[in-house]
Amino acid sequence: MKWTTHIFVLMASALCLGSATSLPEQSLREASQASGLLIGTAVRPAHLSETEYASTLAREFNMVEPEDVLKWETIHPERQAFDFSQGDQVMDFATRHNMKVRGHTLVWHQQNPKWLTEGKYTSTELAQILEQHIKTVVGHYRGKIFAWDVVNEAFDELHPGELRSTIWRDQPGIGLATNGTSYIERCFRWAHEADPQALLFYNEAEAEAVNPKSDAIYAMVRDFRQRGVPIDGVGFQMHVAHQHADVASISANIKRFTALGVQVQITELDVALPVNAQGNARPEDLQLQADIYRQIASVCLAYPGCTAIQTWGFTDKYSWIGSHSKQTQGAALLFDRNYQPKPAYDALRNAVAAGRP
Ligand code: G3I
């Protein structure tokens, strides 16, 4: 390369990248090998045909989780019809690139099809529908999806520590509404019947620190373990807002859950930042964000039972945060909209490369 061309390339890179950093020789995925930590990300199959999306995904991660396409509205569009096509696309990609696949999610109060939510089914009918759904979906991916979020967000935000009122629990529910968490237990047992090898997780938002919600989940998991209900792990979503994560409390929480003998996985990590009309965050916020990614990785690595860190998408081009915050928040992920690594990427990669203490 002539020196003039060289200077041009350097200037162009500086202009395009803004606060992005350059790619290290060792990818995130390679850096995680020493600790055995799984490094995952949520994916949308519609983007897999985009070269940079696919190449970044395959290079940097050893685990994927479909962000939306295993949810009821996509995979079970009619009562008697399942559509696995988009889930299978993710599965094919993962197989080709030697990645593990997490499944998300079998039981949730959102993204359910109208035939279900407006069907006015009795509890007995709903129980049959849910059992058929869990067994069909888990059965389809038997031996392929290694871990499932069986139940997602069953505890309430407004009444911390209490179970959420949902179609599955008490509206009208599957017939166990007066028995606390026993409707959740039933779901885990159905999933286990469909694939006895799959790891079964309970996944939750805003339960990563010690608080009334995580206290309630802790009590449920301890009870399930004592009675032999097949639960293998707890997923903490970790959508970090307000540039603040209470790391000491997160550490204490991971400690108490792993002490129960279950795995903890960080399942939906992102760190939302305020952004301007162009979608850009301030450089100082990108540094704060990097520090949060680093601290969360270090906390997870400190506990052998914390087995995975998964981000909720990997490029700021496609993150749920923008459309769910009227575009006032964003820039939450490891790569910018041009697939350039951000300070958060370096921070996470370096933390993971350092391995477990
Ligand atoms: O399916 C329609 C499509 O037909 C339409 O063209 C398009 C136009 O916007 O919208 C599509 O629906 C979107 C759906 O995802 C499927 O892609 C919705 O608008 C969108 O709001 C929906 O958002 C998802 C959200 O869950 C639903 O609550 C996000 O992508 C997804 O990141 C988010 O993920 C959740 C986890 O499952 C559970 N934990 C919280 C996390 C963030 O909210």
Side-chain angles (χ1 to χ4, degrees):
M1 193 187 290
K2 283 187 191 161
W3 69 270
T4 43
T5 320
H6 199 81
I7 288 176
F8 174 77
V9 169
L10 283 176
M11 283 172 62
S13 309
L15 284 172
C16 292
L17 300 187
S19 53
T21 61
S22 58
L23 274 176
E25 282 175 14
Q26 195 184 40
S27 72
L28 187 52
R29 169 178 191 160
E30 288 162 347
S32 73
Q33 274 170 9
S35 64
L37 188 74
L38 292 166
I39 291 286
T41 186
V43 293
R44 296 179 178 163
H47 307 315
L48 288 174
S49 54
E50 193 182 322
T51 309
E52 280 188 298
Y53 185 93
S55 60
T56 308
L57 177 61
R59 187 185 67 232
E60 301 292 342
F61 299 93
N62 57 24
M63 180 171 82
V64 283
E65 174 169 309
E67 183 167 343
D68 289 303
V69 302
L70 296 184
K71 294 171 181 172
W72 277 71
E73 69 177 4
T74 305
I75 209 167
H76 200 164
E78 293 166 44
R79 183 164 178 184
Q80 300 303 342
F82 288 85
D83 180 356
F84 296 110
S85 57
Q86 295 190 73
D88 290 354
Q89 265 181 273
V90 177
M91 195 62 63
D92 289 347
F93 185 92
T95 306
R96 276 188 278 119
H97 297 285
N98 194 23
M99 302 161 111
K100 289 191 168 239
V101 184
R102 284 189 103 259
H104 175 81
T105 174
L106 300 166
V107 185
W108 196 25
H109 59 284
Q110 287 186 31
Q111 285 178 283
N112 290 320
K114 281 214 173 74
W115 70 261
L116 175 71
T117 55
E118 296 175 5
K120 306 221 179 323
Y121 297 106
T122 65
S123 289
T124 308
E125 288 169 328
L126 264 187
Q128 286 166 351
I129 290 169
L130 184 55
E131 179 178 3
Q132 184 212 22
H133 177 89
I134 291 175
K135 291 190 173 171
T136 304
V137 175
V138 175
H140 180 83
Y141 292 113
R142 183 179 167 127
K144 295 178 179 163
I145 286 189
F146 86 107
W148 273 103
D149 288 339
V150 177
V151 178
N152 186 44
E153 299 171 13
F155 286 87
D156 206 44
E157 283 90 47
L158 301 176
H159 306 97
E162 290 181 23
L163 285 167
R164 188 190 297 276
S165 184
T166 72
I167 187 172
W168 304 121
R169 185 171 82 89
D170 59 352
Q171 297 178 33
I174 60 170
L176 299 164
T178 54
N179 292 331
T181 56
S182 54
Y183 91 93
I184 299 175
E185 171 178 343
R186 180 68 54 87
C187 300
F188 275 82
R189 292 192 186 281
W190 283 329
H192 186 65
E193 281 176 42
D195 185 353
Q197 302 304 319
L199 298 175
L200 304 182
F201 279 72
Y202 176 78
N203 195 53
E204 186 58 89
E206 293 163 17
E208 32 275 342
V210 175
N211 59 34
K213 203 194 252 192
S214 61
D215 287 349
I217 297 166
Y218 179 81
M220 175 182 77
V221 175
R222 188 178 52 191
D223 168 51
F224 282 9
R225 296 289 289 182
Q226 281 168 352
R227 291 189 298 106
V229 179
I231 185 167
D232 302 286
V234 174
F236 294 128
Q237 295 184 5
M238 206 84 70
H239 293 289
V240 179
H242 313 300
Q243 290 118 287
H244 175 72
D246 186 344
V247 178
S249 186
I250 292 170
S251 178
N253 203 34
I254 295 177
K255 183 175 187 179
R256 67 172 172 166
F257 274 93
T258 52
L260 290 176
V262 292
Q263 294 186 30
V264 163
Q265 298 193 336
I266 292 168
T267 51
E268 304 185 14
L269 176 61
D270 53 22
V271 180
L273 298 178
V275 290
N276 63 17
Q278 287 71 46
N280 295 321
R282 289 187 294 259
E284 60 268 34
D285 285 345
L286 292 172
Q287 294 302 331
L288 274 176
Q289 178 185 60
D291 207 42
I292 292 173
Y293 271 96
R294 179 187 61 73
Q295 290 181 58
I296 288 173
S298 300
V299 167
C300 178
L301 286 159
Y303 299 101
C306 187
T307 53
I309 297 178
Q310 176 170 262
T311 58
W312 206 236
F314 55 96
T315 165
D316 292 337
K317 189 174 181 181
Y318 304 120
S319 158
W320 72 288
I321 304 266
S323 62
H324 287 74
S325 68
K326 298 194 172 130
Q327 311 301 333
T328 60
Q329 301 275 309
L333 296 168
L334 301 176
F335 292 86
D336 70 14
R337 282 166 293 167
N338 298 314
Y339 296 95
Q340 298 302 316
K342 294 161 60 185
Y345 171 86
D346 283 345
L348 180 61
R349 201 201 65 90
N350 291 341
V352 165
R356 296 191 187 269

